[in-house]
Amino acid sequence: MSKKIPYKIYLEEHEMPESWYNVRADMKNKPAPLLNPGTLKPLTLEEMSGIFCEELCRQELDDTTPYFKIPDEIKSFYRMYRPSPLVRAYCLEEKLQTPAKIYYKFEGNNTSGSHKLNSAIAQAYYAKNQGLKGVTTETGAGQWGTALSMACAYLGLDCQVYMVKCSYEQKPFRREVMRTYGANVTPSPSDTTKVGRRILEEFPGTTGSLGCAISEAVEAAVSQEGYRYVLGSVLTQVLLHQSVIGLESKIAMDKYGIKPDMIIGCAGGGSNLGGLISPFMGEKLRGEVDYRFIAVEPASCPSLTRGKYVYDFCDTGKVCPLAKMYTLGSSFIPAANHAGGLRYHGMSSVLSQLYADGYMEAVSVEQTAVFKAAEEFARVEGILPAPESSHAIKVAIDEALKCKETGEEKTILFGLTGTGYFDMVAYERFHNGEMTDYIPSDEDLAKGFAGIPQFPGNEI
Amino acid sequence: MSKKIPYKIYLEEHEMPESWYNVRADMKNKPAPLLNPGTLKPLTLEEMSGIFCEELCRQELDDTTPYFKIPDEIKSFYRMYRPSPLVRAYCLEEKLQTPAKIYYKFEGNNTSGSHKLNSAIAQAYYAKNQGLKGVTTETGAGQWGTALSMACAYLGLDCQVYMVKCSYEQKPFRREVMRTYGANVTPSPSDTTKVGRRILEEFPGTTGSLGCAISEAVEAAVSQEGYRYVLGSVLTQVLLHQSVIGLESKIAMDKYGIKPDMIIGCAGGGSNLGGLISPFMGEKLRGEVDYRFIAVEPASCPSLTRGKYVYDFCDTGKVCPLAKMYTLGSSFIPAANHAGGLRYHGMSSVLSQLYADGYMEAVSVEQTAVFKAAEEFARVEGILPAPESSHAIKVAIDEALKCKETGEEKTILFGLTGTGYFDMVAYERFHNGEMTDYIPSDEDLAKGFAGIPQFPGNEI
């Protein structure tokens, strides 16, 4: 195809995906089921629906249906901020003097500042549909909390957010954005829940983690009538909703005859990466097209590259079901020096299985190198990226520079999940030379691994 | 036309404007020329080009050429973040239960968070082209400074920004965004310039104003070799560059057969409003189509609705040329309680002339009502608007509610100039009920008017 590739490809409304794609349907080795931590048996729909909305439980458990129709109300909401642009990084290519062709799918053009809104509206919609009063959740960097607040404001649902304390303190303005959308925000760990009080007692002065905040939000949901808990990452239902990222990317690329050689995404809980790669991974699983997939994680929280692939708790408070995943142990609390999200101890069970089966690679990168890449990117591409997204930028640049050495004209697609407008404290530390790198020692990791539950078949 | 209007209309690259439109070419009564404050004679190209880049001076002085071709380099930069979407506010219409059809042109999807980038890249380009080392400027809310930093980083120019002190303090993160793009940022008034020291002496404890910051930036430009001053609003060259907003809007509307009945924009110095209305105003001036144009200004800084239409200094320090405009007097310093931009004492001479000739209306609105409208808009349309832009939202909602009363299906277009991510201090004040309204008394205004220069033909 010789069609000139524009700087940005926007799909027309009628070209937008009608359904989400469930990559599990095409996996030969299905992700292991969630387990009831009491019985160690697979969690049933009934058990699950005490915590989560019913329809979301059905999506969570269904590993055979390839497509789920997107309800019209959600499609309407998507049209407020989607399609997101698929951007050809002409300026970055020029700056790097690389023969590589670089594309990024930019999910930051909405007030939550990230891709999180794609699943937030879906989860809020099913909660509303079930007649609930409200939902509870946790948020790390604040993007998920903002996204859920926006979705709840739109639908008229109450929204209670437990925000990881270090982000709450680093990002006071995030709280005000959530308040603009009518949400209640509590720094976690807090003394408003039993589990929060227990964690505060055990780790006084902790700056929190996603794992802690999840425990608090789950407790808040099950102790209030008409509330359920919703989660912004890790779960397979979230990957399902986020598949809209990959589907739009694929439709846009197909339209211009573009075939990516490699697809790169940052990985915290895995929702963005999973969503971005899903339809491409489907082709690989079905043996139709081969792609390289690269998960990029922070060296300070390296679940894929240094974790164990076992059953573990999804939360620090151990109130959630057990999930089989690459994990650093639910008691692993990443260094507070790390900026923003990607601070989760585990990884989506879908991505974990794909990684275990060799369908995906993983690399870890250090914080200062990530911010250096972020600044380089900002200056030529205009967009100020979130620290999370910048992990993918770093590896995309590395890969493009390899192409420069070899002369290969590879096509790179990476996920630019969001903007860094609320991360200026971290950027300031970087500008002032105060940012440090942290790589946990084997001893640090061993402490986390020690908290992983041991039972027959789950030895580490 | 019965074509279904999508939520967002994005032009294709080939549909984007090739030229800027100079509305002065179609004005019978041309805006009065800038005057040399020493001689009171019209400023010559030679005099002007000591302060401004040469090509920009030519654009400033040319009131007959209707179209200026956009250079290819600027078009490339535009393609990084343009076209901006023309959004049909279906959700707001539904919320208001109005028969009105509401559209907004959203300029916030770029890191500067506003339309300012449209002129920043043009001005930086001409500076670079002239072989300059760098540029100096002022910034109020920080959007223009950020925009200019981005443009300078892209072109490799040095960028020195004087930032109005109250914004510098309210928006520390803006400074870090500018630093990410390599700019130097100084709070104004500062002791780094003669005029800054004079203002600090005369008004100790002042929180600054755009007028002060302009004086400092101009002094910094003329006292350094290889530097020129650039300005983000007020000047007619800026309106010229910003016409890209109106041109894109018009192309998008024409494509779907949409004719706006009224066009609404917030007005500080006038660049956004002028840019948005230019091509529509051209049709009105040529007698082809009639539109209502509404300028919305803050009640705390009401230059159009309560100012004098006379020659005045553009800056507090009185180092700039005299411009004929609606003005509150260059010594008028708006109340510090006012959030963000729109704090300028004067108004674009083009818009002033159009207003004087009855082609445009103006209204002023109070701050708390503006934030109420902003929050209402955010909850249904998703986008968190800048306080500046929210002035236009407020009046668009008012007009839509009038339609609800009368049953008229009017089509409203307003300019949503930017996002409020860096305005969370103001939103926090609003949420906490700490925001107040301020309307200057006639005595307050009289003090400002007293500073307007008096000479034959310029009596107030």
Side-chain angles (χ1 to χ4, degrees):
Chain A
M1 309 273 280
S2 61
K3 213 166 172 183
K4 162 96 173 70
I5 310 290
Y7 279 64
K8 283 173 286 151
I9 306 174
Y10 282 106
L11 301 180
E12 305 273 336
E13 270 180 19
H14 66 87
E15 297 171 315
M16 286 169 68
E18 296 286 322
S19 301
W20 294 303
Y21 167 64
N22 182 11
V23 71
R24 287 168 294 171
D26 283 307
M27 290 170 71
K28 253 176 262 161
N29 298 329
K30 305 288 182 192
L34 295 171
L35 297 186
N36 178 323
T39 63
L40 299 181
K41 297 244 166 74
L43 212 63
T44 63
L45 182 69
E46 219 181 340
E47 290 169 329
M48 218 184 230
S49 53
I51 302 177
F52 299 107
C53 306
E54 270 175 49
E55 183 58 32
L56 293 167
C57 294
R58 265 188 283 275
Q59 294 180 353
E60 190 69 28
L61 294 173
D62 187 334
D63 58 11
T64 54
T65 305
Y67 289 98
F68 287 78
K69 216 175 143 6
I70 306 174
D72 286 342
E73 293 84 345
I74 299 176
K75 277 198 287 188
S76 291
F77 190 87
Y78 277 174
R79 286 188 192 117
M80 281 188 0
Y81 70 99
R82 304 198 70 81
S84 70
L86 178 74
V87 186
R88 172 73 183 267
Y90 282 118
C91 302
L92 181 62
E93 292 171 18
E94 169 80 17
K95 173 80 192 308
L96 300 175
Q97 290 287 306
T98 174
K101 292 173 185 62
I102 309 174
Y103 294 85
Y104 54 93
K105 180 72 168 168
F106 179 44
E107 292 288 317
N109 274 349
N110 70 73
T111 294
S112 80
S114 82
H115 64 294
K116 299 282 183 177
L117 203 48
N118 302 330
S119 184
I121 185 60
Q123 297 194 45
Y125 167 78
Y126 292 117
K128 180 81 180 176
N129 229 21
Q130 195 179 321
L132 298 177
K133 271 191 260 180
V135 290
T136 70
T137 199
E138 81 298 330
T139 197
Q143 293 170 331
W144 167 248
T146 307
L148 191 68
S149 306
M150 290 173 67
C152 287
Y154 183 81
L155 296 169
L157 271 179
D158 185 39
C159 180
Q160 302 176 355
V161 181
Y162 288 85
M163 185 170 188
V164 177
K165 195 180 276 173
C166 73
S167 295
Y168 185 91
E169 285 163 3
Q170 274 178 17
K171 304 184 174 187
F173 295 169
R174 276 280 185 200
R175 184 193 59 224
E176 291 307 320
V177 179
M178 292 187 245
R179 279 178 83 190
T180 301
Y181 291 94
N184 274 306
V185 190
T186 308
S188 166
S190 77
D191 58 8
T192 66
T193 63
K194 273 185 244 172
V195 62
R197 291 189 290 273
R198 202 180 75 209
I199 290 167
L200 281 171
E201 212 165 289
E202 207 170 331
F203 306 96
T206 175
T207 54
S209 72
L210 266 186
C212 299
I214 293 174
S215 303
E216 291 206 80
V218 170
E219 184 182 321
V222 297
S223 58
Q224 291 174 90
E225 184 69 27
Y227 280 74
R228 288 294 185 284
Y229 166 69
V230 297
L231 177 62
S233 188
V234 185
L235 295 177
T236 50
Q237 60 186 257
V238 182
L239 263 72
L240 176 71
H241 308 146
Q242 295 295 358
S243 69
V244 71
I245 305 173
L247 291 163
E248 279 186 13
S249 302
K250 193 155 180 345
I251 294 166
M253 292 191 127
D254 285 350
K255 199 170 158 183
Y256 285 86
I258 306 159
K259 279 279 164 224
D261 294 294
M262 67 189 90
I263 303 176
I264 301 168
C266 63
S271 76
N272 140 67
L273 178 66
L276 174 66
I277 68 175
S278 275
F280 300 97
M281 183 61 85
E283 290 185 309
K284 181 160 175 167
L285 290 167
R286 295 189 302 268
E288 296 162 7
V289 188
D290 195 20
Y291 301 101
R292 270 184 79 195
F293 299 102
I294 309 176
V296 188
E297 55 185 17
S300 62
C301 195
S303 49
L304 283 173
T305 51
R306 296 177 70 195
K308 305 283 182 193
Y309 187 38
V310 289
Y311 268 104
D312 194 11
F313 290 98
C314 295
D315 62 324
T316 314
K318 306 185 180 181
V319 302
C320 281
L322 294 167
K324 189 171 179 196
M325 58 185 176
Y326 282 88
T327 178
L328 300 167
S330 66
S331 61
F332 178 85
I333 295 189
N337 94 321
H338 183 69
L342 310 184
R343 286 165 57 89
Y344 186 64
H345 68 274
M347 179 57 62
S348 143
S349 61
V350 173
L351 293 183
S352 290
Q353 186 65 49
L354 290 167
Y355 180 59
D357 290 344
Y359 287 105
M360 187 176 81
E361 306 162 37
V363 294
S364 75
V365 291
E366 293 178 30
Q367 186 164 233
T368 50
V370 164
F371 274 80
K372 197 163 160 284
E375 191 164 275
E376 181 169 16
F377 178 83
R379 290 188 182 185
V380 293
E381 288 288 319
I383 296 166
L384 184 82
E388 296 84 350
S389 328
S390 305
H391 287 70
I393 295 174
K394 164 68 181 146
V395 173
I397 290 177
D398 288 349
E399 291 291 333
L401 291 176
K402 279 184 210 163
C403 289
K404 186 178 177 177
E405 270 180 37
T406 62
E408 289 172 289
E409 289 187 27
K410 289 197 174 156
T411 298
I412 298 170
L413 166 63
F414 73 90
L416 189 71
T417 55
T419 50
Y421 306 139
F422 292 93
D423 299 285
M424 296 321 296
V425 169
Y427 272 96
E428 186 174 11
R429 282 213 315 273
F430 174 69
H431 295 144
N432 295 342
E434 296 158 8
M435 181 169 276
T436 53
D437 288 319
Y438 167 72
I439 302 180
S441 67
D442 288 342
E443 289 71 37
D444 292 335
L445 293 187
K447 279 182 223 159
F449 295 147
I452 294 174
Q454 304 273 323
F455 54 86
N458 204 56
E459 290 78 18
I460 61 169
Chain B
M1 309 271 282
S2 61
K3 213 166 172 182
K4 162 97 174 67
I5 311 291
Y7 278 65
K8 283 174 286 151
I9 306 173
Y10 281 107
L11 301 180
E12 305 272 335
E13 272 181 17
H14 66 87
E15 298 171 313
M16 286 169 68
E18 295 287 323
S19 301
W20 294 303
Y21 167 64
N22 181 12
V23 70
R24 287 168 296 172
D26 283 308
M27 289 170 72
K28 254 176 263 164
N29 298 328
K30 305 288 183 191
L34 294 170
L35 298 186
N36 178 322
T39 63
L40 299 181
K41 297 244 166 75
L43 211 64
T44 64
L45 182 68
E46 218 180 342
E47 290 168 329
M48 217 184 233
S49 54
I51 301 177
F52 299 107
C53 306
E54 270 175 50
E55 183 57 32
L56 292 168
C57 295
R58 265 187 284 276
Q59 294 180 353
E60 190 69 27
L61 294 173
D62 188 334
D63 58 11
T64 54
T65 306
Y67 288 97
F68 286 79
K69 215 174 142 8
I70 306 174
D72 286 342
E73 293 84 344
I74 298 176
K75 278 198 286 188
S76 290
F77 190 87
Y78 277 174
R79 286 190 191 116
M80 280 187 2
Y81 71 99
R82 305 199 69 80
S84 71
L86 178 74
V87 186
R88 172 75 183 268
Y90 282 118
C91 302
L92 181 61
E93 292 171 18
E94 167 79 18
K95 173 81 192 307
L96 299 175
Q97 290 287 305
T98 175
K101 291 172 185 64
I102 309 174
Y103 293 86
Y104 54 92
K105 180 71 168 167
F106 179 45
E107 292 288 317
N109 274 350
N110 70 74
T111 294
S112 80
S114 81
H115 64 294
K116 298 282 183 178
L117 203 47
N118 302 329
S119 185
I121 184 61
Q123 298 194 45
Y125 168 78
Y126 292 118
K128 180 79 179 180
N129 229 22
Q130 195 179 321
L132 297 177
K133 270 192 261 180
V135 290
T136 71
T137 199
E138 81 299 328
T139 197
Q143 292 170 331
W144 167 248
T146 308
L148 190 68
S149 306
M150 291 172 67
C152 287
Y154 183 80
L155 297 169
L157 271 179
D158 185 38
C159 181
Q160 302 176 355
V161 181
Y162 288 85
M163 184 170 188
V164 177
K165 196 181 276 174
C166 74
S167 295
Y168 185 89
E169 286 164 2
Q170 274 178 18
K171 304 183 174 187
F173 294 168
R174 275 279 185 202
R175 183 192 62 224
E176 291 308 320
V177 179
M178 292 187 245
R179 280 178 83 191
T180 302
Y181 290 95
N184 274 306
V185 190
T186 308
S188 167
S190 77
D191 59 7
T192 66
T193 63
K194 273 187 243 171
V195 62
R197 290 190 290 272
R198 204 180 74 209
I199 290 168
L200 280 172
E201 212 165 288
E202 207 170 329
F203 305 96
T206 174
T207 54
S209 72
L210 266 186
C212 299
I214 293 174
S215 304
E216 292 206 80
V218 170
E219 185 182 321
V222 297
S223 58
Q224 291 175 91
E225 185 69 29
Y227 280 75
R228 288 295 184 282
Y229 166 69
V230 297
L231 177 62
S233 189
V234 185
L235 295 176
T236 51
Q237 60 187 258
V238 181
L239 262 71
L240 175 71
H241 308 146
Q242 294 296 358
S243 69
V244 71
I245 305 173
L247 291 162
E248 278 186 12
S249 301
K250 194 158 176 345
I251 294 167
M253 292 190 127
D254 286 349
K255 200 170 156 182
Y256 285 88
I258 305 159
K259 278 279 167 223
D261 294 294
M262 67 189 89
I263 303 176
I264 301 168
C266 63
S271 76
N272 139 68
L273 177 67
L276 174 66
I277 68 175
S278 275
F280 299 96
M281 183 60 87
E283 290 185 309
K284 182 161 174 166
L285 290 166
R286 295 189 302 269
E288 296 163 7
V289 188
D290 194 21
Y291 301 101
R292 270 184 78 196
F293 299 103
I294 309 176
V296 188
E297 55 185 18
S300 62
C301 195
S303 49
L304 284 173
T305 51
R306 297 178 69 197
K308 305 283 183 194
Y309 187 37
V310 289
Y311 268 105
D312 193 11
F313 290 98
C314 295
D315 63 323
T316 314
K318 305 186 180 180
V319 302
C320 282
L322 294 167
K324 188 170 178 195
M325 57 184 176
Y326 282 87
T327 178
L328 299 167
S330 67
S331 62
F332 178 83
I333 295 190
N337 94 323
H338 183 70
L342 310 185
R343 287 164 57 89
Y344 187 63
H345 68 274
M347 180 58 62
S348 143
S349 60
V350 173
L351 293 184
S352 290
Q353 186 65 50
L354 290 167
Y355 180 59
D357 290 343
Y359 287 105
M360 188 177 80
E361 306 162 36
V363 293
S364 76
V365 290
E366 294 179 28
Q367 186 164 233
T368 49
V370 164
F371 274 80
K372 197 164 161 283
E375 192 164 275
E376 182 170 14
F377 178 83
R379 290 188 183 188
V380 294
E381 288 288 320
I383 297 165
L384 184 82
E388 295 85 350
S389 328
S390 305
H391 287 70
I393 295 174
K394 163 69 180 145
V395 173
I397 289 178
D398 288 348
E399 291 291 333
L401 291 176
K402 279 184 210 162
C403 289
K404 186 178 177 176
E405 269 179 37
T406 61
E408 287 172 291
E409 288 187 28
K410 289 195 175 158
T411 297
I412 299 170
L413 167 63
F414 73 90
L416 189 71
T417 56
T419 50
Y421 305 139
F422 292 94
D423 299 285
M424 296 322 296
V425 170
Y427 271 97
E428 186 173 11
R429 283 215 313 274
F430 174 69
H431 294 146
N432 295 342
E434 294 158 10
M435 180 168 276
T436 53
D437 289 319
Y438 167 72
I439 302 180
S441 66
D442 288 343
E443 289 73 36
D444 293 334
L445 293 187
K447 279 183 222 161
F449 294 148
I452 293 174
Q454 304 274 323
F455 54 85
N458 203 55
E459 291 79 16
I460 60 168

